[in-house]
């Protein structure tokens, strides 16, 4: 019983850690590439760059959705009876 709860908490920790790590690295790379693209060609700021930043916003919203799912697993664990 306690091993199931411990394994669930460990899985939740891994999920959160890897999700935030991946999102942080991805947003950093995206921000640097956006700044590089605007520096090279300022005319494309309104066309391509906005769509790329929209993808970044969607990625951040998906991370928040994952965080909500992990909180549901944490407090409403179906495996722990």
């Amino acid at each position: 019983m306690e091993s199931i709860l411990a394994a669930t908490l460990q899985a939740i920790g891994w999920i959160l850690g890897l999700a935030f790590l991946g999102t942080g690295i991805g947003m950093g790379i995206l921000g640097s590439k956006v700044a590089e693209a605007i520096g090279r060609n300022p005319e494309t700021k309104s066309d391509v760059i906005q769509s790329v930043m929209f993808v970044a916003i969607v990625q951040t919203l998906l991370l928040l959705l994952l965080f909500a799912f992990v909180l549901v697993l944490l407090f409403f664990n179906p495996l722990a009876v």
Side-chain angles (χ1 to χ4, degrees), residues 3 8 18 27 34 40-41 43 47 55 57-58 61-62 71 74:
S3 64
T8 303
L18 291 176
M27 293 294 283
V34 164
R40 286 180 184 228
N41 193 2
E43 293 85 24
D47 299 335
V55 170
I57 291 171
V58 169
L61 290 176
L62 286 176
L71 285 178
L74 184 62

Side-chain angles (χ1 to χ4, degrees), residues 28-57:
I29 291 172
L30 179 75
S32 70
K33 295 298 180 178
V34 164
E36 182 180 338
I38 291 174
R40 286 180 184 228
N41 193 2
E43 293 85 24
T44 62
K45 183 169 51 172
S46 63
D47 299 335
V48 178
I49 306 303
Q50 284 182 348
S51 64
V52 170
M53 292 308 290
F54 178 74
V55 170
I57 291 171

